[in-house]
Amino acid sequence: MESKLPDVGVTIFTVMSQLAQESGAINLSQGFPDFDVSPQLIDRVTHYMQAGYNQYAPMQGVPALRAAIAAKVEALYGGRYDPETEVTVTSGATEALYAAVSAVVRPGDEVIIVEPAYDAYEPVVRLNGGVPVFVPLSFPDYRIDWDTIGRRFTPQTRALILNTPHNPTGTTLGAADIAALEALVGLYDFFIICDEVYEHIVFDGRSHQSLARFPMLWPRSFIVSSFGKTYHATGWKVGYCLAPGVLTREFRKIHQYLTFATSTPVQMALADHLAASDDHLALADFYQAKRDRFRELLAATRFRPLACEGTYFQMVDYSAITTEADTVFARRLTTDFGVAAIPPSVFYHDQRDDHVLRFCFAKHDQTLEEAVEKLCRI
Ligand code: PMP
Ligand code: GLN
């Protein structure tokens, strides 16, 4: 059978996590926290399951959760989204990204993707007949070159996919980036799909530049986020999309046939938790301490940490150790040294290899210490 995605294999996250498991390695590859979900939140989920909230949720998400999301967004970023018509709860950010791209991209449309790019973006563009147009971040500081982006616009450009804080590099959009984006909006007609799943993990006093802060950008933006990162619950797969009514209408047409609705008791519990707790506001300090501890430990190794402004990922330059390709080195590190990492070349369409690896530091200190002890041996 002719494949619709001939170049696509199994995602690197599955490949590396499986190799880590087979090798008995410490898994700092696939990004997921090993911290417990708050007992209060677990209690709300079990409460709603036991209270009989076990049938389909409304297609667009339970009203209380949509209201709580809109309230949080307005409190933090100022953007006002109507929970009825502009907020949709999805089965993870992954589903929201798929639905947003499908809602706007038509055959032949060009979609600008900044690389390295989270691996879900490109295949979804292609499945919708779109043409990905790749623009690399600079190395090693991983900034967006807005002049290059401007030059890649054509009459076929339909959308730009952004991700802040950025996976895998840990960079964030700043005021100058937003100004450049606003300038582009003045010149061209295009949609923005902004992946903000790490919105609460931003370091060193920076504030997250959600597109929900910028009235010039709202009318054309789909903002995607996820509760997985925020509540240490990546396995629950609940996310959401904010977009103006006209865009949300199209978004929901796709969402209703992709999954229709998302887990009812989990949505009910998240609504209570979001309204009752400020857990999300404590996340930046929590992960900043993890980042600092991990970087301090890495000082004893030959891995050189690059800047990390947000997310729970740390990029490290390993050029002092070997000239091996990152995919080869990531495997060897897992099988021979017992620590699994992600090779970022898989996030480039041309497998660009800068001899760096991505480690996930969303782990207990003891795990990070054990991992770095192994990294010291190389
Ligand atoms: N976007 C980025 C940048 C991610 O890192 C992830 C997942 N880790 C997702 C989207 C997907 O989020 P979810 O698990 O909620 O589908
Ligand atoms: N987003 C996570 C990462 O970057 C993994 C998500 C997944 O496994 N699909 O590692």
Side-chain angles (χ1 to χ4, degrees):
M1 188 197 95
E2 197 187 331
S3 172
K4 291 180 75 175
L5 293 170
D7 328 324
V8 171
V10 175
T11 83
I12 192 68
F13 307 118
T14 301
V15 169
M16 291 313 300
S17 278
Q18 210 167 317
L19 187 64
Q21 198 168 16
E22 286 161 14
S23 318
I26 297 177
N27 189 3
L28 305 188
S29 64
Q30 186 180 26
F32 59 88
D34 69 357
F35 314 115
D36 290 336
V37 173
S38 122
Q40 290 87 350
L41 181 51
I42 298 272
D43 177 64
R44 296 321 289 159
V45 176
T46 49
H47 163 77
Y48 282 112
M49 284 184 171
Q50 282 162 356
Y53 287 79
N54 297 308
Q55 307 312 324
Y56 294 126
M59 179 273 278
Q60 59 275 52
V62 306
L65 182 55
R66 282 184 281 122
I69 292 167
K72 180 195 84 165
V73 169
E74 186 177 357
L76 289 179
Y77 311 127
R80 296 180 73 168
Y81 287 86
D82 180 345
E84 273 309 301
T85 55
E86 301 184 318
V87 180
T88 310
V89 180
T90 60
S91 299
T94 307
E95 195 237 324
L97 289 163
Y98 195 105
V101 170
S102 299
V104 295
V105 175
R106 305 156 304 185
D109 283 344
E110 293 176 5
V111 178
I112 298 178
I113 297 177
V114 176
E115 287 188 314
Y118 185 60
D119 69 344
Y121 307 154
E122 180 195 346
V124 185
V125 170
R126 285 197 193 284
L127 282 171
N128 284 282
V131 181
V133 174
F134 298 104
V135 177
L137 292 171
S138 57
F139 181 78
D141 55 348
Y142 295 116
R143 307 309 322 176
I144 296 180
D145 179 345
W146 289 99
D147 290 337
T148 306
I149 294 221
R151 282 197 295 275
R152 303 308 298 270
F153 270 79
T154 73
Q156 280 70 49
T157 304
R158 181 74 163 168
L160 166 63
I161 302 182
L162 293 172
N163 171 209
T164 184
H166 185 258
N167 179 5
T169 69
T171 52
T172 55
L173 293 187
D177 296 299
I178 297 295
L181 186 55
E182 288 181 337
L184 282 178
V185 160
L187 293 174
Y188 305 103
D189 189 19
F190 63 103
F191 297 103
I192 305 166
I193 297 163
C194 195
D195 180 344
E196 302 187 8
V197 300
Y198 300 100
E199 64 181 313
H200 302 302
I201 313 180
V202 176
F203 307 138
D204 306 315
R206 287 181 184 80
S207 50
H208 169 57
Q209 297 301 299
S210 172
L211 298 200
R213 289 180 188 274
F214 305 103
M216 252 185 92
L217 304 177
W218 298 338
R220 60 185 70 226
S221 298
F222 296 85
I223 299 174
V224 170
S225 194
S226 171
F227 292 105
K229 330 285 161 185
T230 304
Y231 294 132
H232 308 320
T234 59
W236 290 4
K237 297 297 294 187
V238 184
Y240 58 90
C241 177
L242 312 169
V246 276
L247 301 188
T248 292
R249 212 164 30 245
E250 294 306 307
F251 179 93
R252 288 181 181 171
K253 288 182 191 174
I254 314 288
H255 163 74
Q256 67 186 348
Y257 297 127
L258 260 182
T259 57
F260 182 72
T262 298
S263 167
T264 308
V266 175
Q267 286 194 62
M268 297 294 291
L270 286 168
D272 287 355
H273 199 69
L274 203 51
S277 103
D278 279 342
D279 283 3
H280 54 287
L281 301 181
L283 213 57
D285 285 349
F286 174 77
Y287 276 120
Q288 186 171 321
K290 287 279 164 208
R291 177 204 64 175
D292 292 347
R293 178 75 185 126
F294 188 48
R295 289 173 70 95
E296 189 182 288
L297 291 165
L298 284 172
T301 72
R302 288 191 291 158
F303 293 91
R304 194 173 58 81
L306 303 183
C308 173
E309 301 172 348
T311 74
Y312 45 51
F313 301 115
Q314 175 65 60
M315 296 281 262
V316 296
D317 179 329
Y318 65 80
S319 55
I321 299 171
T322 174
T323 54
E324 277 164 299
D326 65 357
T327 45
V328 175
F329 185 48
R331 268 186 173 273
R332 191 162 72 85
L333 198 62
T334 311
T335 55
D336 297 5
F337 291 88
V339 184
I342 295 291
S345 64
V346 302
F347 300 134
Y348 290 92
H349 75 288
D350 55 1
Q351 287 79 49
R352 174 179 151 156
D353 184 356
D354 292 311
H355 294 150
V356 297
L357 292 178
R358 188 199 81 176
F359 289 120
C360 171
F361 56 79
K363 308 292 169 191
H364 290 292
D365 281 4
Q366 195 188 336
T367 306
L368 296 177
E369 283 156 20
E370 282 166 16
V372 174
E373 210 176 287
K374 293 175 188 293
L375 296 179
C376 284
R377 298 194 194 124
I378 190 163

